[in-house]
Amino acid sequence: MSDATPPVTPVPRRRRGASLPVEDAAEVPPPGMSPARPSIGRRRSLRSQRSGASLPDEDAADEAIHVTVRMRPPNARESASDAPPRVWSVHPPHSLQLTAGDAPPAGHRVFTFDRVYDETSSTAQIYLGSVAGIVASVLDGKHGTIFAYGQTASGKTHTIQGGGEDAGVLPRAAADLFRGAAACPDRVFALRCAVVEIYQEEVRDLLVPERAPLAVREDPKTGVHVNCTETVVDDCASLLAALGAGAAQRSVAATGMNEHSSRSHTIFRVTVESRAKEGGDGSVRTAALNLVDLAGSESVRHTGATGERQKEGGRINQSLLTLSRVLTARGSPTATHVNFRDSKLTRLLQPSLAGDARVALLCCVSPSPLFLEETRSTLQFAARATRVRTRAKVNEVRVPQLPVAVEDTVQLEAPVAESPPIPEATASDLERQERERVQERVNEKISQ
């Protein structure tokens, strides 16, 4: 993690999803199983203050969700079975093929995506090939969202958080954020983070001891959000400590497939604000990086879940099915409505799913014939995601620095007869006070 991240070479665009016709399963759950901005916490940032004009982004361009598939090695259970260890053949960098087992018709055997990694690949390779470019865009003011998707025990949490000497996407992104900020001496940066989980359709703040459910709200200024804790961080170590503290509070339990099975979807969010140290026009860039570790789809015949574990699995599968339906509607040229409100997951991530972010989908799968249907279902989900287009823009707002006397003069010049009653604190007063507080915070950063 100490090495500087080299620039990412853009992947040549090619036809993605299934290389031969593949029938979608848009309305079938896995076996057994916007103008607004990505926001988890209420945005107390400059971006949420509409006192300044939003600057146009001429560089915004349509792009597809970047889809990556990672094939993990067979685990102990798969290796001990009488079935062959592998029924999938991986052909990096773009395709994988079903070669044995209960094979479907020939047209359903091969899948092609932006990136495909075999069992020998490291998380470092996946990060550089599929994620690093999006992290760099966040420093430039564009929102970014990274999803990890797959059946339970497929390697999602290992890919996001890492394990042992193989650092995950999250710590690598944290290091790159501060490394990238240090490489821009002409700008001052401020970072803060939040961690929430969605457990059985309840949104919980993982940075506080209380587990009271949080309401998902929508505001014309702040967008879709929940009122959760946001921790200000000054370096990579403090960021990882905060995110690690949140991850430690995540709901986990043992099942027949995984001793530490995630029972909730977890969203790690880092917000980056920056402005020019000297000169400039007073504009401020604000962007959020969301790393979403989705709970895995489950089949009771594999997990052996009963009681509360079975109920949790059912809720997980239902929310993943809703996510699949949203992606199907977003990728359809004929869809007239996308129902983000059917689950807390799609509601909370509506800004990203609606297209106001650069998005990468990391799909983790098993090579074993024991989970052939689960792997095929994951690949069909990934194929649907390739059809979704996004248009991330630079989120930059010019905050006017008007003297108080000038604003007061303008108010006094208005005809008395046309002036409405003035409350104790007008919207102008509140906005001015907020700008003064933010300016003080930025000045403190610069003086440091």
Side-chain angles (χ1 to χ4, degrees), residues 55 58-59 64 81 91 103 129 147 153 178 182 189 207 218 225 232 249 257 267 281 288 291 300 342 359 376 438 444:
L55 304 182
E58 297 178 355
D59 295 331
S81 72
H91 306 286
F147 290 94
F178 281 96
F189 288 82
L207 292 183
E218 184 170 8
H225 65 271
V232 177
Q249 300 301 315
M257 290 187 65
I267 303 173
D281 57 3
L291 295 108
V300 174
D342 280 354
V359 180
R376 186 155 50 197
V438 172
E444 290 176 359

Side-chain angles (χ1 to χ4, degrees), residues 121-440:
S121 299
S122 66
T123 304
Q125 292 174 287
I126 295 172
Y127 177 79
L128 291 175
S130 304
V131 179
I134 293 179
V135 174
S137 295
V138 173
L139 290 171
D140 292 333
K142 293 185 178 182
H143 298 309
T145 298
I146 314 298
F147 290 94
Y149 179 93
Q151 73 169 116
T152 185
S154 61
K156 301 180 302 300
T157 299
H158 176 83
T159 298
I160 292 293
Q161 300 183 37
E165 297 180 357
D166 191 17
V169 166
L170 189 153
R172 293 178 187 277
D176 271 2
L177 286 175
F178 281 96
R179 198 152 42 215
C184 299
D186 58 332
R187 299 188 69 83
V188 58
F189 288 82
L191 280 75
R192 61 185 187 273
C193 67
V195 187
V196 301
E197 72 170 359
I198 302 173
Y199 175 77
Q200 296 200 52
E201 288 301 291
E202 288 185 357
V203 183
R204 299 173 173 179
D205 187 345
L206 296 186
L207 292 183
V208 295
E210 299 82 11
R211 291 298 186 94
L214 305 176
V216 180
R217 305 180 185 279
E218 184 170 8
D219 183 88
K221 292 183 178 179
T222 59
V224 180
H225 65 271
V226 294
N227 290 331
C228 68
T229 304
E230 289 189 301
T231 302
V232 177
V233 291
D234 296 322
D235 52 34
C236 183
S238 61
L239 174 56
L240 291 178
L243 297 179
Q249 300 301 315
R250 184 179 187 178
S251 300
V252 297
T255 68
M257 290 187 65
N258 192 346
E259 293 183 0
H260 302 282
S261 175
S262 301
R263 314 310 295 164
S264 65
H265 308 302
T266 304
I267 303 173
F268 303 91
R269 175 175 168 268
V270 182
T271 302
V272 180
E273 291 182 342
S274 71
R275 72 183 307 162
K277 277 188 176 180
E278 298 178 358
D281 57 3
S283 61
V284 176
R285 295 176 186 170
T286 303
L289 174 65
N290 295 307
L291 295 108
V292 186
D293 185 3
L294 296 169
S297 57
E298 294 190 358
S299 171
V300 174
R301 66 189 176 93
H302 291 309
T303 64
T306 59
E308 189 66 17
R309 299 289 85 80
Q310 185 176 11
K311 180 181 177 182
E312 292 169 346
R315 287 297 187 95
I316 291 169
N317 290 344
Q318 184 60 42
S319 66
L320 293 176
L321 174 59
T322 301
L323 176 60
S324 177
R325 287 172 172 166
V326 166
L327 289 178
T328 299
R330 283 280 290 110
S332 171
T334 60
T336 58
H337 174 70
V338 181
N339 196 345
F340 295 101
R341 297 175 179 268
D342 280 354
S343 80
K344 293 292 178 62
L345 175 66
T346 53
R347 181 73 175 123
L348 196 55
L349 293 173
Q350 177 178 345
S352 297
L353 295 171
D356 190 20
R358 299 190 67 197
V359 180
L361 175 65
L362 310 179
C363 292
C364 301
V365 294
S366 164
S368 172
L370 298 177
F371 307 109
L372 172 61
E373 289 305 319
E374 287 79 2
T375 295
R376 186 155 50 197
S377 176
T378 297
L379 296 178
Q380 290 172 340
F381 175 91
R384 289 192 288 277
T386 63
R387 303 172 189 150
V388 178
R389 310 290 298 183
T390 65
R391 188 180 179 85
K393 63 181 183 299
V394 173
N395 299 283
E396 193 166 34
V397 170
R398 183 178 293 115
V399 181
Q401 302 294 326
L402 296 177
V404 176
V406 174
E407 294 187 6
D408 290 344
T409 301
V410 172
Q411 292 177 1
L412 291 174
E413 289 178 349
V416 176
E418 298 178 8
S419 300
I422 300 177
E424 285 186 31
T426 65
S428 177
D429 292 332
L430 295 176
E431 290 177 353
R432 181 171 63 252
Q433 293 169 10
E434 178 65 17
R435 293 200 301 274
E436 290 172 353
R437 285 195 295 270
V438 172
Q439 185 64 49
E440 290 175 1

